[in-house]
């Protein structure tokens, strides 16, 4: 009724734009609020499948991955979304995940880190009828290649480079300022392993991008 009462094309457009913006904000805020209401803060735990705990897990998983803010992957708005869900992600990080990690409270991403598109950091694993949740630590200035997979209880030290389509399996710890590839990830050959100079140049290039430019792009 409010839209039909508009007078003239301009007023119709402004009312439609206002309604759409309000709907977008509500659709983005509702999954965040429900996550905190249903599970609060995620902890490392084991959840039996088909239990009440699994129902809460599944519900939150569907909610956070259906949020329209997922469309802003790779921008500061997506980083803001992860932080609102409890993740400790630096503002300067670039996170290109297409699927939101379920257990966001257990995710930490350092300054200047880059996580490529089509990578997977689910924050949980299913084994023998149970869901296991665990922490994932990605250090400062790390680079996770496209299509990579990082399991729970893993740590990538500062400056680590994980090649495309490589995996970090549960419990792995990757040494910093080195290149890793394969399944599971192994150190790259000696001729490409020294990464200190490459890291230094990437950091210098990243420092030239201002926060205003990042948000304006979003």
């Amino acid at each position: 009724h409010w839209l039909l009462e508009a007078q003239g094309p301009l007023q119709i457009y402004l009312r439609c734009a206002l309604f759409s913006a309000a709907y977008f904000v509500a659709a983005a805020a509702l999954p965040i609020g429900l996550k905190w209401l249903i599970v609060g803060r995620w902890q490392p735990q084991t959840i039996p499948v088909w239990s009440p705990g699994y129902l809460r897990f599944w519900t939150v998983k569907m909610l956070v991955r259906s949020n329209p803010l997922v469309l802003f992957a790779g921008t500061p708005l997506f980083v803001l979304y992860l932080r609102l869900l409890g993740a400790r992600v630096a503002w300067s990080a670039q996170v290109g995940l297409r699927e939101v990690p379920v257990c966001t409270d257990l995710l930490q991403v350092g300054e200047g880190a880059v996580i490529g598109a089509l990578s997977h950091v689910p924050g949980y694993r299913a084994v023998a009828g149970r869901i296991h949740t665990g922490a994932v630590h990605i250090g400062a200035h790390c680079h996770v290649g496209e299509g990579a997979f990082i399991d729970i209880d893993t740590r990538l030290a500062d400056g680590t480079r994980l090649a495309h389509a490589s995996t970090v399996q549960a419990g792995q710890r990757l040494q910093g300022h080195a290149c890793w590839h394969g399944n599971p990830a192994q150190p790259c050959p000696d001729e490409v392993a020294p990464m200190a100079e490459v890291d230094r140049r990437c950091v210098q290039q990243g420092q030239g991008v201002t926060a205003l430019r990042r948000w304006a792009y979003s």
Side-chain angles (χ1 to χ4, degrees), residues 23-201:
Y23 182 84
F24 177 84
V25 172
L30 183 61
I32 298 173
L34 288 177
K35 178 264 179 185
W36 290 104
L37 180 65
I38 294 173
V39 299
R41 188 172 294 278
W42 289 105
Q43 300 291 339
Q45 59 184 310
T46 299
I47 305 172
V49 175
W50 315 129
S51 66
Y54 177 77
L55 178 60
R56 292 194 297 271
F57 169 86
W58 179 86
T59 302
V60 170
K61 175 183 176 181
M62 294 297 103
L63 286 170
V64 300
R65 292 186 174 179
S66 62
N67 194 312
L69 289 177
V70 174
L71 299 173
F72 292 88
T75 74
L77 279 177
F78 189 69
V79 172
L80 173 63
Y81 178 44
L82 293 176
R83 290 171 69 101
L84 290 175
L85 290 174
R88 291 172 291 173
V89 182
W91 286 114
S92 60
Q94 181 176 342
V95 184
L97 298 173
R98 292 297 183 266
E99 289 188 349
V100 179
V102 179
C103 304
T104 44
D105 302 281
L106 303 176
L107 174 65
Q108 182 174 353
V109 182
E111 294 281 347
V114 176
I115 302 178
L118 304 179
S119 296
H120 296 275
V121 188
Y124 72 94
R125 66 197 313 250
V127 180
R130 281 173 167 73
I131 301 295
H132 301 270
T133 65
V136 175
H137 177 92
I138 301 175
H141 307 297
C142 287
H143 183 275
V144 177
E146 302 209 2
F149 178 87
I150 301 179
D151 210 335
I152 62 173
D153 298 324
T154 52
R155 184 180 185 89
L156 280 65
D158 294 351
T160 300
R161 294 187 171 273
L162 182 64
H164 301 310
S166 299
T167 66
V168 183
Q169 297 189 0
Q172 266 195 291
R173 301 290 188 269
L174 304 191
Q175 180 183 358
H177 301 290
C179 176
W180 296 73
H181 71 150
N183 179 18
Q186 301 292 330
C188 292
D190 293 338
E191 59 268 21
V192 296
M195 301 299 295
E197 180 62 21
V198 176
D199 291 340
R200 184 185 65 81
R201 294 177 181 177

